Amino acid sequence: MSRMAVARIDLQALRGNLARIRELAPEIRVMAVVKADGYGHGLERVARALAAADAFGVAAIADGLRLRAAGHRNRIVVLSGPDNPADLSEMHRLGLDAVIHHPQQLAWLQEDRGTPQLRVWLKIDTGMHRLGFLPEQAQSAYRQLQAMSSVHPEIVVCTHFAAADEFHNPLTPQQIDTFMQVAGMRSVEQSLANSAAFLGWPAACKGWLRIGGLLYGLSVVAGHTGSEYGFHPAMRLHTRLIAVNRIHKGERIGYAATWVCPEDMPVGVAAIGYGDGYPRAAPSGTPVRVAGVEVPLIGRVSMDLITLDLRTTPDARVGDEVLLWGPELPVERIAEQAGSIAYELTCGITRRVLVVEADVTG
Ligand SMILES: *Cc1c(COP(=O)(O)O)cnc(C)c1O
């Protein structure tokens, strides 16, 4: 048995989460964002479960290629567009939509004679200052794109929020205002909202939603889990106990001997570590479930192993299931302990973890 750590992906949860978005926003098209290997859940697997989405969003052309190879005919949007002229031919060939956010990309497009026409999303920087044309450049960029024979005439105008997850932050309404001044008058297709904006900013929910986190049942608002909004976690990361040892009072556990046993006590060892993507930053006290009972992690997370305080589960045995995160133990709780976010943890599962699928309703 070479691999003990298993990530089980619940396809029904993925489908149910998309259905919930449809139910809450029946008129609005949904781009399922599947970048970073479907937030660590597996690109092809996630796309199969979410094939009913109106489009897929990816960060890299290579992901678009994988989705086409898997047979998907949906629109596929490359969220940062072409990185060089050769990318443009690849995007024509694969029928990938391009987000155009920079004058350099316009220059490549001017020289582009590819067919069929490229579908373009024009990205406006309304305040995040990462990617996009400034509002004062937007008109001109839009007109240039419209005049290009290699570009499809229906251009989607889009923007991205910096702080949509803070429901009282005035930055988001400012970004919405700025966007509407640029794109609001025109009868163009629009796309503003990510998962957090979908939950908190109804004014941003028009045209196309671009939803990642919620589809995986992840928290998109600090301090809240995905379940609190009716979305179901799709990943369940588990392993097994490979040792239960009695350690004496005063002895120290693990690397750097950071944790001292306050009494004679059982210490469990589970087969998972940062080599599997369990965060090394998770401190003593981080919750872990052993045979259904929550116990604290103790000592340092090592590459292959973690150590657990089993005083509240004296019956725990070698071979018992150890749950790191999943529906019964929100990944948000682990992320908070580790000073991270749920997205980073699910994205961070390594190749050593065996990924399996569960499909309850079949
Ligand atoms: C990743 C991404 C999204 C999805 O964000 P979530 O918070 O996961 O919903 C939407 N739009 C852009 C441009 C992105 O890069």
Side-chain angles (χ1 to χ4, degrees):
M1 200 189 298
S2 56
R3 290 185 292 183
M4 284 226 167
V6 176
R8 200 191 68 190
I9 309 302
D10 180 352
L11 303 186
Q12 183 56 33
L14 292 167
R15 280 195 294 267
N17 292 337
L18 176 58
R20 175 148 179 81
I21 289 163
R22 295 269 194 219
E23 186 186 303
L24 295 170
E27 306 298 323
I28 308 181
R29 280 183 282 178
V30 179
M31 178 199 301
V33 180
V34 295
K35 62 199 185 190
D37 208 26
Y39 290 42
H41 296 66
L43 176 64
E44 285 82 359
R45 170 183 306 111
V46 165
R48 193 160 21 93
L50 300 178
D54 302 295
F56 292 120
V58 297
I61 291 179
D63 287 351
L65 177 59
R66 281 168 66 183
L67 291 173
R68 289 287 180 242
H72 292 287
R73 309 283 293 273
N74 315 43
R75 286 176 74 170
I76 298 173
V77 184
V78 180
L79 291 169
S80 50
D83 298 328
N84 53 57
D87 281 356
L88 278 176
S89 351
E90 195 66 354
M91 297 177 89
H92 280 293
R93 186 177 74 82
L94 294 166
L96 308 180
D97 291 22
V99 170
I100 298 300
H101 58 81
H102 196 276
Q104 181 62 66
Q105 293 174 321
L106 285 179
W108 296 330
L109 276 168
Q110 293 288 6
E111 303 300 315
D112 176 51
R113 298 288 172 269
T115 53
Q117 284 184 320
L118 197 69
R119 287 181 175 270
V120 163
W121 299 54
L122 174 64
K123 184 156 187 170
I124 313 300
D125 175 9
T126 55
M128 179 159 175
H129 304 314
R130 193 177 57 178
L131 294 181
F133 290 90
L134 291 173
E136 56 268 31
Q137 304 170 317
Q139 286 277 0
S140 147
Y142 187 86
R143 272 196 241 100
Q144 288 180 61
L145 287 167
Q146 269 202 320
M148 292 177 189
S149 59
S150 63
V151 170
H152 192 282
E154 281 164 29
I155 297 166
V156 185
V157 183
C158 59
T159 194
H160 194 50
F161 295 124
D165 53 328
E166 296 166 15
F167 294 164
H168 299 289
N169 193 325
L171 182 55
T172 303
Q174 280 166 24
Q175 287 195 259
I176 296 173
D177 278 356
T178 304
F179 185 81
M180 290 310 160
Q181 282 164 29
V182 173
M185 321 300 173
R186 303 167 168 277
S187 57
V188 294
E189 284 192 281
Q190 302 172 1
S191 177
L192 298 89
N194 59 358
S195 292
F198 173 66
L199 293 180
W201 300 98
C205 296
K206 47 176 74 183
W208 285 87
L209 303 171
R210 305 185 308 272
I211 306 288
L214 284 180
L215 290 172
Y216 308 97
L218 299 175
S219 162
V220 299
V221 183
H224 296 275
T225 62
S227 319
E228 287 170 47
Y229 295 98
F231 294 88
H232 299 291
M235 181 186 288
R236 190 174 188 283
L237 179 66
H238 59 99
T239 184
R240 303 239 165 237
L241 272 187
I242 61 163
V244 177
N245 301 314
R246 275 207 82 79
I247 308 294
H248 288 301
K249 177 176 179 178
E251 293 297 316
R252 291 168 175 272
I253 305 296
Y255 282 122
T258 57
W259 200 83
V260 185
C261 295
E263 58 186 312
D264 289 5
M265 59 179 282
V267 172
V269 183
I272 194 159
Y274 63 80
D276 304 287
Y278 190 81
R280 184 176 177 280
S284 291
T286 300
V288 173
R289 276 169 82 96
V290 175
V293 179
E294 203 170 294
V295 305
L297 182 140
I298 53 177
R300 286 268 169 87
V301 171
S302 45
M303 188 183 288
D304 310 317
L305 302 167
I306 56 173
T307 35
L308 306 168
D309 175 353
L310 295 183
R311 282 178 291 172
T312 55
T313 50
D315 297 333
R317 294 283 175 272
V318 168
D320 281 355
E321 188 195 74
V322 177
L323 178 73
L324 291 314
W325 62 70
E328 315 95 302
L329 178 59
V331 62
E332 287 80 12
R333 288 184 60 196
I334 317 310
E336 192 180 355
Q337 292 279 330
S340 182
I341 58 168
Y343 287 27
E344 189 181 31
L345 267 54
T346 63
C347 282
I349 293 296
T350 69
R351 276 169 297 179
R352 189 163 76 183
V353 175
L354 176 66
V355 183
V356 300
E357 298 174 7
D359 198 343
V360 182
T361 62

